[in-house]
Amino acid sequence: MLTDAEKDAIRDHYKTLSDNLPGFRPRAAQRRMLAEIANAFSRSKDIEDGELPERNGESIIVVEGPTGVGKSLAYLLAGGVMAKMRGKKLVVTSATIALQEQLVNRDLPFVIENSGLALTFALAKGRGRYLCPYRLYGLTAEHAQDALFSPDPALALWDKKPEQAELDTLNALSSAFHQRKWNGDRDNWPTIVDDSLWFRVTNDRHGCLKTSCPNRAECPFYLARDTLENVDVVVANHDLMLADIAMGGGVILPAPDDSFYCIDEAHHLAKKAVNQFAAEHSLAQAMGWLEKVAALAVRIETHIAKPELTNGAIEAAAACMETLTEWLWLLGGEPALSASDGNPEPTWLLDDGRLPEHLQQPAANMAIAARMLYKNISGMTDALSEARRDKPQEAPALDKASTDLGFIVGRSEQLNAVWDLFEKETDDKAPPIAKWVSRRLDGKGDYQFCASPVSAAASLAATLWRRAAAALLTSATLRSLGEFDLLLSQTGLKWLPEVSCIALDSPFNFSEQGELYLPPLAASPKDPAAHTREIAEWLPKLIAEDQAVGTLVLFSSRRQMQEVASALPDTLRATVQVQGEIPKSKLLENHYQRIKDGKASVIFGLDSFSEGLDLPGEACVHVIIAKLPFAMPDDPVGKTLARWIEKRGGNPFIEVTVPEASIKLIQAVGRLIRTEQDWGRVTILDNRITRQRYGKKLLSSLPPFKRI
């Protein structure tokens, strides 16, 4: 239960913030969000006697907070107070870098400065964003220049002679880091470091020497992680949170049991989770590194004297190569992977994620071999760590062996993940695992094995929701067709009966601030050429070229966007900037400058401009949506899910495509009204919204604009 002390603290800090800001007007929706978050977090259950409590979602709350509510202030204030008073960490995650930067650079400092709530905070990043000093010093040491090439290129940091510019960059990185003029964070380096070069000076958890590393005390990643243990609020992204959960939790971020999560932009969570649990590997690349295992194991055996591990790794690697060779032969006879229709990457999607009978045993053999390989080389990693503690005189050789083995461990883990999924078959009632093989016809004839769950609901329910002390999921758009059902189903929250779902009222007067126009178009988007021509004919009628205001035209297809731009009259085309032709920052700069100069400005954008793009006031008084944002299931995961729904007697278009389009449409429409002073019009150039039965549902979920 929420204590009086907690209630008083939230009330007092909110009042202090109101008093410190003369223009601040407390909003009813924001106050309700504060109260609902505090109440939900107060129902958190702690671990007792080492046992996880039975959690049914009583401390999880879903809040749809429209633009203008002030969501971040509400969850930072309520979450910050509750976390501090309950001895928890507040972990705030988002889907986009823009929101993370806003939280760290603006929202958190604002709350701390104006509310009197003392909070410390830090931005959490993945290991790959940080320099590995051990690797950098190894490449820039004077003696290293004569040993740039390993006799085993697959295990070397360099696989080609480095260019002088690369060596100059490495020396500059090393000098700046050594003199403490740079903290080793890639994002803080003043110039862009090419990905291929950065890969050589960063590390992953497999190649890291951990406590055995001689540079552990100055390691940027570990220093950053140590910082996370001493702050009240950790800001991260969904991917990092999901990766941490997949590793058991508490590896990079605070442990879930000790965390109150505020998951902003939560409408992205389900798809992010599906991607997190997917896996793939190349057959040719796997054969390449598997061939290196034997020589590496023999070298490591001289240090650890554990033949059961090294021999086991050698045998498992040989078994993997033998089985992959069998797969190469089997796939050669698969018609779906032959060169047809000029497709550079033909793909064979397994129906319902089920292997044909003749492939079941090869898949099982591969899964067993991959599992044994990963088990043995993981044991070798542990043995090398023990050897380094016991044989400090062999440290350089042991460190080199650990780094080389880390390369193999990472790839072995991925190989294991793919074949675990390939071997697994789900119950008919459960969503299947999508499995497919692609063939590259670029002369190498390589095959790519891919597998992915079509839903992450079960995984999220079993890991994140069962472990988290409490959680808030929020976004401006969480309901689909007026209901939370899609979100709850895709995230696994539907299995937790006590989850609270709340839709807050918007502070905007939509009927007075905006209008919705549905022109009488003749062409349907099902006839792309005719629809494109009609859009090009309508835009000159819809856009006022003589007014110093902004228009945002949103497309679902890059091809259609470019064709419409090319078909416009010259005078209108001169006002248009097309996404992708210039950097986004420059495009927005030009947009504002044109309006300031008294000229009209039009932006043509794709889906990414439908969300997170903030153009208040006269910067956007007209949002034109070219086509309803239906995402047809043409990828392997979407196709597998659609087929499963159909086999159960359902309709994937109605059950998935339309609800997801509803969310995207609301987000696109939401670009118009960003403040209580904004005004304008939304125009939809898709006649299906008035002619199809689902169109009425889509319209009813939009803000109550005046209809034209």
Side-chain angles (χ1 to χ4, degrees), residues 67 78 92-93 143 180 190 211 223 243 247 270 273 313 316 325 346 380 390 442 478 502 515 534 555 557 584:
T67 300
V92 182
T93 74
H143 66 274
R180 299 299 182 258
T211 55
L223 290 174
M247 290 186 285
T325 301
M380 290 163 60
D390 299 337
D442 55 2
L478 290 179
I502 296 163
E515 57 188 27
E534 196 162 8
F555 294 86
S557 158
K584 180 180 177 181

Side-chain angles (χ1 to χ4, degrees), residues 143 268 418 446 461 652 674 697:
H143 66 274
H268 288 292
V418 171
D446 190 16
R674 309 300 295 171
K697 293 183 178 180

Side-chain angles (χ1 to χ4, degrees), residues 373-395:
L373 176 62
Y374 182 64
K375 177 182 177 181
N376 281 288
I377 61 176
S378 295
M380 290 163 60
T381 299
D382 296 337
L384 280 173
S385 296
E386 294 175 8
R388 199 184 191 286
R389 288 193 296 269
D390 299 337
K391 305 175 183 178
Q393 70 279 7
E394 298 181 18

Side-chain angles (χ1 to χ4, degrees), residues 91-278:
V91 178
V92 182
T93 74
S94 70
T96 61
I97 294 175
L99 182 52
Q100 292 167 55
E101 292 176 343
Q102 176 184 312
L103 286 164
V104 170
N105 298 326
R106 192 184 76 183
D107 294 348
L108 275 161
F110 175 86
V111 170
I112 294 167
E113 180 181 355
N114 294 289
S115 72
L117 177 60
L119 291 174
T120 55
F121 61 91
L123 178 64
K125 302 179 184 181
R127 192 191 295 264
R129 303 307 297 177
Y130 295 103
L131 167 77
C132 172
Y134 182 81
R135 278 191 161 189
L136 178 64
Y137 292 158
L139 285 174
T140 55
E142 292 182 5
H143 66 274
Q145 301 307 312
D146 296 326
L148 287 174
F149 298 99
S150 163
D152 184 354
L155 305 181
L157 289 176
W158 293 101
D159 53 6
K160 62 179 179 62
K161 185 175 181 179
E163 298 177 3
Q164 187 58 46
E166 292 178 311
L167 295 176
D168 291 343
T169 299
L170 291 177
N171 285 321
L173 292 171
S174 179
S175 176
F177 183 72
H178 181 69
Q179 297 176 33
R180 299 299 182 258
K181 294 180 179 179
W182 173 54
N183 65 355
D185 184 331
R186 182 180 185 180
D187 300 316
N188 292 338
W189 186 251
T191 60
I192 296 175
V193 180
D194 186 76
D195 287 345
S196 62
L197 184 62
W198 181 258
F199 169 76
R200 293 173 168 83
V201 296
T202 189
N203 215 327
D204 59 23
R205 61 192 176 93
H206 303 296
C208 178
L209 298 176
K210 302 178 178 65
T211 55
S212 300
C213 180
N215 303 107
R216 169 66 172 79
E218 61 176 347
C219 175
F221 170 72
Y222 280 107
L223 290 174
R225 198 177 74 169
D226 291 344
T227 298
L228 300 184
E229 297 178 0
N230 299 308
V231 296
D232 303 309
V233 183
V234 176
V235 179
N237 59 35
H238 296 346
D239 291 323
L240 189 60
M241 176 187 70
L242 292 165
D244 186 64
I245 292 294
M247 290 186 285
V251 178
I252 301 173
L253 301 178
D257 313 286
D258 297 324
S259 301
F260 286 169
Y261 291 93
C262 289
I263 302 171
D264 206 339
E265 300 179 319
H267 57 284
H268 288 292
L269 182 63
K271 280 187 167 54
K272 291 279 188 181
V274 168
N275 292 336
Q276 179 63 44
F277 296 118

